[in-house]
Amino acid sequence: MNGEELTEQETALYDRQIRVWGVDAQRRLSKSHVFVSGLKGTAVEFCKNIVLAGVGSLVLNDDNPATGEALAANFLIPFDENMGGEGSLAELCCDSLKDFNPMVHVSVEKGDLSTFGVDFFEKFDVVVISCCSLAAKKSVNEKCRKLSKRVAFYTVDCRDSCGEIFVDLQNYSYAKKKVDETVQCQLQYPSFEEAIAIPWRSLPRRVAKLYFAMRVVERFEDVEKRRPGETSIADLPNVMKLRNELCLAHSLNESQIPDSLLERLVVSTKEFPPVSAVLGESSARLFEVIKAISGKGDPLKNFFFFDAVDGKGVIEDISTS
């Protein structure tokens, strides 16, 4: 990232947040480039927050048409005669986001996420994918890791009143204040594929039950060739059967993945707007992207879970280190 200074206009516009995280962090943020694919409620909250924070540029990817269902979770879609007509979700969201902060360059990249090669991601500092298949998460994460520079990778998923964020900052160095001095720290992140491959029996006993439940539903959709969220009550017996098989293979008690939790994830697949807001706030406004770009402050490692039933957000370090 280059060392260009903030313009007088940028300094005036971002004055309040500069007072919070400093001019150097804001400079880095304003020169950074972010890619977001999958524009449902949670990703839209994320986009809104980083645009307001003053990211340099934002590229949106989602060729799906706007529908009534999409409108229920996406406040960037204008409710007018264009519903279901011309214009993809990315195009409609792009127009709305430009009004939030004219100083941020917002654009659209058409095409299926799976068709983008390694070189495509080299132009970005942060890549965020939402509501994607297991294969897509592994593939995009791996492409980001093949680049010569470090690209911060995030996956964001929301099902009903539950949500999950995964973070991969690769080999990450950052500054941390301790009393009267600043020390340099380093964290080694696993890829998404490496993280979920860790045997469940080797994880701490108090790992969030939502972590295991998300892996079961994710695996079911992958085996059945379903798109994320393409499940119903009719699938519940087979999902529970898969849960039992995975628990047996990993020497995990089935009580760690309650029937009631699986049912919520399988049956109520639509995003719950308040949960989308919490996840979008957690990944963007709570400095996660800002910390990843600026290299200042303790970053999230490497999963974040939220369940509106108990109102708790939990960070889990699912790694071998």
Side-chain angles (χ1 to χ4, degrees):
M1 203 168 297
N2 60 46
E4 294 179 20
E5 297 299 322
L6 294 173
T7 66
E8 185 176 335
Q9 187 180 6
E10 288 173 322
T11 302
L13 180 62
Y14 304 128
D15 176 67
R16 287 194 299 175
Q17 54 206 53
I18 287 174
R19 296 172 188 270
V20 176
W21 53 65
V23 66
D24 183 60
Q26 186 62 48
R27 178 187 62 79
R28 290 172 178 267
L29 187 66
S30 68
K31 309 305 176 187
S32 63
H33 307 287
V34 179
F35 173 79
V36 177
S37 180
L39 296 172
K40 290 191 175 183
T42 305
V44 164
E45 287 282 352
F46 172 87
C47 291
K48 176 204 71 175
N49 288 332
I50 61 171
V51 166
L52 290 174
V55 71
S57 70
L58 172 64
V59 177
L60 306 174
N61 169 247
D62 194 325
D63 294 340
N64 290 307
T67 62
E69 181 178 334
L71 180 65
N74 189 330
F75 60 84
L76 293 178
I77 303 174
F79 185 71
D80 56 23
E81 65 277 5
N82 291 323
M83 287 298 298
E86 295 183 1
S88 65
L89 280 176
E91 290 168 329
L92 294 173
C93 290
C94 179
D95 292 339
S96 297
L97 284 167
K98 288 178 180 178
D99 294 333
F100 277 80
N101 189 346
M103 295 190 68
V104 176
H105 180 68
V106 185
S107 61
V108 172
E109 183 71 37
K110 293 184 177 181
D112 189 282
L113 180 63
S114 64
T115 65
F116 300 146
V118 174
D119 293 343
F120 170 79
F121 296 101
E122 190 165 14
K123 67 188 83 167
F124 303 107
D125 301 292
V126 178
V127 169
V128 180
I129 61 174
S130 175
C131 302
C132 291
S133 67
L134 175 61
K137 292 175 185 177
K138 292 179 179 179
S139 175
V140 175
N141 192 190
E142 183 61 27
K143 290 172 183 176
C144 290
R145 282 180 156 254
K146 287 181 177 179
L147 297 169
S148 57
K149 71 171 189 177
R150 182 180 62 83
V151 175
F153 173 79
Y154 297 79
T155 69
V156 185
D157 288 287
C158 180
R159 295 170 185 261
D160 186 54
S161 56
C162 299
E164 173 187 271
I165 297 171
F166 167 78
V167 182
D168 177 16
L169 302 183
Q170 301 180 38
N171 189 14
Y172 181 68
S173 300
Y174 64 100
K176 180 179 180 180
K177 283 189 175 181
K178 284 190 174 181
V179 193
D180 295 327
E181 63 176 347
T182 299
V183 297
Q184 288 297 126
C185 304
Q186 192 162 348
L187 285 176
Q188 186 69 44
Y189 283 72
S191 67
F192 182 77
E193 184 169 10
E194 291 169 340
I196 65 172
I198 295 173
W200 294 353
R201 68 178 72 89
S202 65
L203 296 176
R205 292 183 61 183
R206 297 183 66 84
V207 166
K209 294 178 180 180
L210 188 51
Y211 170 76
F212 300 118
M214 291 290 278
R215 304 286 76 79
V216 172
V217 177
E218 192 176 62
R219 177 75 69 87
F220 177 80
E221 291 173 340
D222 183 57
V223 171
E224 296 294 324
K225 309 299 182 185
R226 308 278 186 89
R227 292 188 299 178
E230 279 190 348
T231 53
S232 67
I233 187 66
D235 295 310
L236 192 56
N238 288 330
V239 172
M240 289 184 173
K241 178 182 177 182
L242 178 60
R243 182 269 314 269
N244 297 343
E245 293 172 353
L246 290 173
C247 285
L248 180 62
H250 287 273
S251 301
L252 184 75
N253 193 303
E254 294 171 12
S255 64
Q256 288 297 100
I257 316 176
D259 293 356
S260 57
L261 178 56
L262 277 181
E263 183 173 350
R264 286 163 55 204
L265 297 179
V266 170
V267 178
S268 303
T269 56
K270 295 180 181 179
E271 293 181 307
F272 188 44
V275 177
S276 295
V278 169
L279 294 175
E281 195 83 0
S282 298
S283 54
R285 183 59 70 188
L286 290 181
F287 311 131
E288 284 310 319
V289 168
I290 296 163
K291 288 188 289 188
I293 293 172
S294 67
K296 294 181 179 179
D298 289 312
L300 187 159
K301 189 192 179 197
N302 53 341
F303 281 90
F304 173 80
F305 299 97
F306 180 79
D307 189 341
V309 169
D310 58 19
K312 293 181 180 179
V314 180
I315 295 174
E316 297 285 7
D317 183 353
I318 308 295
S319 63
T320 55
S321 59

